[in-house]
Amino acid sequence: MRLLIAFIAVPLIEIGLFIQVGDAIGLWPTLLIVLLTAIAGTALVRSQGAQVLSALQGSFQAMKDPTEPLAHGAMILFAGALLLTPGFFTDAFGFLLLFPPFRHLITTMIRSRLKSANVNFSSQQADVDHNVIDAEYTDISEQQSFSDPTKH
């Protein structure tokens, strides 16, 4: 139900804002602002996306929990989609998602609503004999051979 309300409310808000801003500053300046926010947003998404990707790789290399950089990456991706969508409301929310403290706040709010098991990452390897291969097999040397189906 909330998603339906969002799909109805967001376009209505955008149309209202376009009318208000267009009436105040004119059509061409309004369209120029929309174009410039898309260009600036794309540049910010690329730079912050690269930073989050680096943090994600660092967490994998250090065997740390990768959920924080993954969540930030998903929010940056969503911010990029919002910034490419024409509109003032979506641009405002997209730019908010590019602000790291805002992303951290959202991540904290989501974590407080989720219950999960603790996963411990460890870089220590178990004591394993690397010369042993555990497998199952069937000896086919004593079974009857199948005839070639193409030679009938």
Side-chain angles (χ1 to χ4, degrees):
M1 185 66 172
R2 290 181 185 176
L3 193 58
L4 176 64
I5 292 170
F7 275 118
I8 293 170
V10 170
L12 291 176
I13 292 169
E14 292 292 8
I15 291 169
L17 287 172
F18 271 124
I19 291 170
Q20 293 292 319
V21 173
D23 187 43
I25 64 173
L27 172 66
W28 295 111
T30 302
L31 294 177
L32 182 64
I33 289 171
V34 170
L35 181 64
L36 290 176
T37 57
I39 292 169
T42 302
L44 286 169
V45 165
R46 289 183 75 185
S47 68
Q48 291 207 1
Q51 290 173 358
V52 167
L53 184 60
S54 176
L56 180 63
Q57 289 172 341
S59 68
F60 282 136
Q61 289 174 351
M63 298 297 288
K64 292 183 180 177
D65 184 12
T67 55
E68 185 84 16
L70 282 172
H72 283 265
M75 285 186 269
I76 289 171
L77 185 66
F78 187 59
L82 290 174
L83 289 166
L84 289 176
T85 303
F88 295 105
F89 182 71
T90 53
D91 286 349
F93 194 68
F95 279 119
L96 272 175
L97 284 175
L98 292 179
F99 190 56
F102 185 73
R103 288 195 311 260
H104 183 70
L105 176 68
I106 290 178
T107 305
T108 303
M109 287 172 35
I110 291 172
R111 277 191 181 157
S112 69
R113 297 180 129 190
L114 296 177
K115 293 182 180 180
S116 65
N118 289 335
V119 177
N120 294 324
F121 290 90
S122 174
S123 61
Q124 298 175 353
Q125 294 185 357
D127 187 24
V128 177
D129 184 5
H130 294 286
N131 296 325
V132 176
I133 299 174
D134 186 20
E136 294 182 21
Y137 69 95
T138 304
D139 188 2
I140 61 169
S141 62
E142 296 177 11
Q143 295 180 356
Q144 293 180 354
S145 64
F146 295 101
S147 63
D148 188 5
T150 60
K151 293 183 180 180
H152 285 156

